[in-house]
């Protein structure tokens, strides 16, 4: 097996069906007639393999195949659909190491995080299998004699899933496993820079469908650019678009979907803060902040971008954090000792450098980091910035890189106000040992984010809860709790089993 650049690390790719050149569209078969793109390894800037992307015609064929597959898929009882998802979970278990490695190679996150993403998909499969025997409607008391009032949940049909580069497996997994047990079929458009991962995932899924004599187009894939994403958002045949990505693109997707009265799940950008109260356990703060500021090289939607620190502990937190940052091992994400890998693209480096420049212009002090690392690939130094007002434009912007702004506050109330003053509303954490602070933080005047943590970092959510954020983060919820409802339509059904025709509200129409 040969790849675009020979590398001893690439041999495992053949276990996932990845070749030197790959077709990037799958419905009932693998195809693709669009332009050929190269997947680049962020760790060295070199191409791994080529992918022939899909055109709008390829997309059209994929949607039709996905709609046709629904006719078969929707007839399977939900627990039988759950059985297929159980098999998908097992197939992912078999490929966890290789798929995790591919995530690491193509996206750039360290290997434990790459494997962690696959584990997240496995976990949500297990969850969905249980759900397939549990999701339930209601029987509601009817005010009319001889009448039954029921709530029925049915699949939506074909849906669209558009994903971001930074979680090339898990985000699809969250949507895919739930949508499958709910009875939907789906077209997936993955991020333009992580096509190999989506091809490998789809190969794993298609084998499960084929082994069960089901059409693989239940889960179709189109590797394509924004024109395919735009077509999906405007396509009335896709009743739901689940979109994960930046707020700017998400706004456009939301408008296109709304224009046709479609339904959307929007999982957009965050600007997540950790609040450090004066009574916080500072060892826990530093360990947690290190993981959520530097982990994934600051490229999680839930990465910590602001630390709002009580003035009494500010100096201590700053010096401990600087010490911890100086010990972070930056390097090849596939090497076991690495804690921080590269950024995903050259463009991400430019965003990082321009944020540092802007911070400096506004009077920010670079306490550590602030530079590109001089080696192949897209490496930067994790950075701490102080001395900026909490409402500086750059502090309010999501820069998708390992930059954190350390801000000072005088009270818990002020800290919460600073937490809430940004447009985004994804994740938030408070470190405190005071019970009153905890309940203030969780209550109506507390954090306005979708994820509200205490004494843990802003990143690293479990699949059992609903995941998503408020305000410019889009309001979507995925994964656990009652997120499944979004992949189904609800019918309120009134059945008259009497020989009378009483009207509601006692209205007489005789
Ligand atoms: P992006 O917005 O650039 O791209 C996301 C997806 O949208 C890609 O597949 C892209 O090809 C597609 N796209 C681009 N233009 C489109 C259009 N006009 N219509 C439809 N689709 C289009 O985001 P990215 O750089 O891949 O990811 C980083 C962003 O994603 C960050 O803002 C991050 O916070 C966010 N994110 C959010 C969550 C969450 O759960 N809230 C999770 C992961 C990432």
């Amino acid at each position: 097996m040969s790849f675009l650049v020979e590398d001893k690390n690439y041999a495992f790719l053949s276990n996932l069906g990845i070749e030197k050149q790959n077709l990037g569209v799958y419905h009932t078969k693998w195809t693709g007639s669009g332009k050929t793109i190269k997947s680049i390894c962020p760790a060295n800037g070199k191409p791994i393999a080529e992918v022939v992307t899909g055109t709008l015609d390829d997309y059209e064929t994929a949607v039709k195949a996905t709609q046709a597959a629904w006719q078969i898929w929707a007839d399977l009882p939900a627990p039988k659909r759950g059985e297929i998802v159980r098999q998908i979970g097992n197939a992912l278990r078999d490929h966890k190491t290789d798929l995790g490695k591919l995530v690491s190679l193509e996206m750039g996150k360290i290997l434990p995080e790459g494997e962690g993403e696959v584990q997240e998909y496995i976990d949500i499969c297990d969850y969905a299998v249980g759900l397939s025997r549990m999701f339930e409607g209601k029987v509601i008391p009817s005010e009319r004699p001889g009448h039954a009032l029921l709530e029925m949940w049915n699949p939506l049909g074909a849906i669209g899933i558009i994903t971001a580069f930074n979680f090339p497996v898990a985000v699809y997994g969250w949507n895919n496993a739930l949508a499958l047990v709910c009875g939907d079929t789906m077209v997936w458009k993955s991020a333009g820079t992580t096509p190999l991962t989506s091809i490998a995932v789809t190969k794993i899924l298609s084998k499960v469908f084929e082994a069960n004599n089901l059409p693989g187009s239940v889960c179709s894939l189109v590797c394509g650019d924004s024109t395919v994403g735009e077509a999906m958002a405007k396509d009335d045949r896709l009743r739901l678009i689940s979109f994960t990505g930046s707020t700017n693109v998400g706004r456009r997707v939301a408008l296109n979907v709304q224009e046709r009265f479609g339904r959307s799940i929007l999982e957009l950008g965050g600007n997540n803060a950790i609040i450090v109260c004066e009574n916080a356990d500072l060892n826990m703060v530093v360990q947690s902040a290190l993981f959520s500021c530097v982990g994934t090289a600051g490229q999680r939607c839930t990465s910590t971008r602001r630390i709002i620190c009580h003035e009494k502990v500010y100096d201590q937190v700053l010096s401990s954090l600087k010490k911890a940052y100086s010990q972070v091992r930056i390097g090849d994400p596939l090497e076991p000792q690495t804690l921080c890998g590269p950024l995903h693209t050259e463009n991400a480096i430019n965003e990082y450098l321009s944020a540092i420049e802007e911070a400096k212009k506004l009077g920010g002090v670079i306490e550590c980091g602030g530079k590109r690392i001089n080696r192949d690939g897209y490496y930067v130094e994790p950075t701490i910035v102080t001395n900026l007002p909490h409402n500086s434009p750059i502090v309010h912007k999501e820069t998708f890189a390992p930059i954190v702004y350390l801000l000072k506050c005088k009270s818990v109330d002020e800290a919460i106000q600073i937490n809430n003053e940004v447009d985004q509303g994804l994740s938030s954490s408070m470190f405190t040992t005071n019970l009153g602070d905890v309940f203030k933080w969780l209550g109506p005047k507390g954090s306005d984010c979708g994820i509200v943590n205490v004494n843990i970092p802003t990143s690293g959510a479990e699949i059992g809860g609903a995941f998503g954020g408020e305000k410019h983060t889009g309001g979507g919820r995925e994964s656990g709790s009652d997120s499944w409802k979004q992949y189904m339509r609800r019918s309120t059904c009134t059945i008259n089993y009497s020989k009378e025709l009483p009207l509601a509200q006692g209205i007489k129409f005789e």
Side-chain angles (χ1 to χ4, degrees):
M1 185 69 56
S2 70
F3 286 92
L4 290 178
V5 172
E6 285 309 319
D7 189 309
K8 64 175 172 30
N9 275 329
Y10 296 177
F12 76 94
L13 289 173
S14 55
N15 304 339
L16 296 165
I18 299 297
E19 294 163 3
K20 186 175 184 178
Q21 190 178 69
N22 306 272
L23 295 170
V25 179
Y26 176 78
H27 35 88
T28 42
K29 56 179 190 206
W30 286 95
T31 169
S33 49
K35 60 177 189 281
T36 300
I37 56 165
K38 288 186 172 68
S39 166
I40 306 292
C41 172
N44 56 27
K46 293 186 180 137
I48 307 163
E50 284 180 344
V51 173
V52 186
T53 58
T55 58
L56 286 179
D57 285 345
D58 293 321
Y59 165 69
E60 186 61 27
T61 314
V63 175
K64 287 198 174 120
T66 307
Q67 277 190 303
W70 187 76
Q71 296 298 335
I72 297 163
W73 187 245
D75 281 346
L76 288 186
K80 294 263 182 286
R81 300 194 293 254
E83 163 56 20
I84 305 295
V85 173
R86 190 186 65 77
Q87 293 178 32
I88 291 173
N90 284 347
L92 288 163
R93 281 183 174 90
D94 292 343
H95 291 91
K96 180 174 165 184
T97 309
D98 288 332
L99 192 53
K101 246 181 175 176
L102 173 54
V103 171
S104 190
L105 190 69
E106 191 179 41
M107 184 277 158
K109 62 179 67 176
I110 58 171
L111 191 53
E113 292 186 53
E115 288 187 4
E117 262 202 68
V118 185
Q119 187 58 47
E120 219 168 323
Y121 196 166
I122 294 168
D123 291 345
I124 194 78
C125 283
D126 288 351
Y127 179 91
V129 175
L131 188 67
S132 72
R133 290 185 181 269
M134 285 165 67
F135 54 68
E136 84 290 342
K138 283 183 174 169
V139 180
I140 298 158
S142 168
E143 67 185 49
R144 288 173 277 185
H147 284 57
L149 187 52
L150 315 177
E151 214 171 64
M152 291 282 293
W153 291 89
N154 280 303
L156 287 176
I159 66 163
I161 300 169
I162 302 174
T163 54
F165 79 86
N166 66 328
F167 276 93
V169 169
V171 165
Y172 179 62
W174 288 354
N175 285 280
N176 169 258
L178 290 195
L180 281 176
V181 295
C182 289
D184 298 332
T185 55
M186 63 215 75
V187 181
W188 175 20
K189 195 205 91 60
S190 54
T193 49
T194 53
L196 300 179
T197 305
S198 53
I199 290 170
V201 167
T202 303
K203 287 198 168 172
I204 292 169
L205 297 185
S206 65
K207 281 204 187 107
V208 173
F209 286 109
E210 281 160 21
N212 286 279
N213 286 323
L214 288 163
S217 48
V218 168
C219 296
S220 300
L221 169 73
V222 182
C223 293
D225 59 17
S226 59
T227 54
V228 174
E230 187 112 6
M232 288 172 76
K234 290 180 177 166
D235 194 334
D236 216 13
R237 293 168 295 183
L238 304 178
R239 297 311 307 146
L240 166 74
I241 296 292
S242 173
F243 176 85
T244 303
S246 59
T247 295
N248 277 345
V249 176
R251 182 180 286 113
R252 203 182 156 98
V253 169
L255 291 171
N256 281 331
V257 177
Q258 182 58 41
E259 176 81 20
R260 61 179 175 86
F261 296 110
R263 202 188 277 183
S264 55
I265 301 175
L266 299 171
E267 299 282 351
L268 314 179
N271 190 343
N272 319 294
I274 286 179
I275 291 177
V276 185
C277 297
E278 59 182 307
N279 51 41
D281 178 328
L282 297 188
N283 286 331
M284 285 172 74
V285 168
V286 173
Q287 267 185 58
S288 299
L290 192 67
F291 172 69
S292 58
C293 299
V294 175
T296 333
Q299 298 168 108
R300 288 191 184 211
C301 50
T302 51
S303 291
T304 301
R305 316 239 172 253
R306 299 173 294 150
I307 298 175
I308 307 162
C309 201
H310 194 279
E311 58 187 3
K312 286 193 186 149
V313 290
Y314 178 94
D315 290 339
Q316 199 181 335
V317 168
L318 175 58
S319 71
S320 307
L321 264 183
K322 279 170 78 168
K323 188 163 168 227
Y325 267 54
S326 70
Q327 289 161 6
V328 170
R329 295 177 301 273
I330 303 168
D332 186 330
L334 284 168
E335 294 295 332
Q337 72 279 6
T338 302
L339 272 188
C340 178
L343 289 181
H344 186 54
T345 58
E346 183 71 37
N347 194 39
I349 299 226
N350 297 335
E351 298 272 327
Y352 164 89
L353 291 174
S354 75
I356 304 268
E357 269 321 294
E358 191 176 339
K360 280 187 193 158
K361 251 190 235 153
L362 293 168
V365 173
I366 311 299
E367 298 284 350
C368 63
K371 292 190 293 299
R372 179 177 193 159
I373 296 174
N374 187 14
R375 57 179 282 177
D376 285 348
Y378 311 128
Y379 293 89
V380 297
E381 295 172 344
T383 305
I384 302 172
V385 183
T386 56
N387 205 39
L388 283 178
H390 57 80
N391 54 1
S392 305
I394 192 64
V395 175
H396 279 210
K397 187 179 164 201
E398 181 197 45
T399 302
F400 223 54
I403 302 173
V404 68
Y405 302 101
L406 193 60
L407 311 167
K408 220 179 254 184
C409 69
K410 289 185 190 321
S411 67
V412 169
D413 287 334
E414 188 193 5
I416 294 174
Q417 180 263 316
I418 294 173
N419 178 73
N420 292 351
E421 74 184 2
V422 296
D423 286 339
Q424 308 87 340
L426 182 52
S427 185
S428 55
S429 298
M430 176 180 278
F431 281 78
T432 181
T433 49
N434 178 307
L435 199 59
D437 293 345
V438 172
F439 282 93
K440 186 178 269 190
W441 179 233
L442 306 185
K445 294 185 178 169
S447 168
D448 63 2
C449 294
I451 297 167
V452 186
N453 294 336
V454 177
N455 294 335
I456 61 161
T458 53
S459 57
E462 299 177 24
I463 58 111
F467 181 90
E470 301 296 326
K471 304 192 292 185
H472 290 208
T473 303
R477 291 296 186 279
E478 283 176 1
S479 198
S481 187
D482 62 353
S483 305
W484 61 269
K485 290 183 174 169
Q486 299 166 103
Y487 303 89
M488 303 193 91
R489 61 181 175 79
R490 178 196 335 227
S491 318
T492 302
C493 315
T494 311
I495 301 155
N496 180 0
Y497 56 90
S498 74
K499 288 285 178 199
E500 307 298 321
L501 272 173
L503 297 176
Q505 294 86 44
I507 291 171
K508 299 278 176 225
F509 200 76
E510 288 161 352

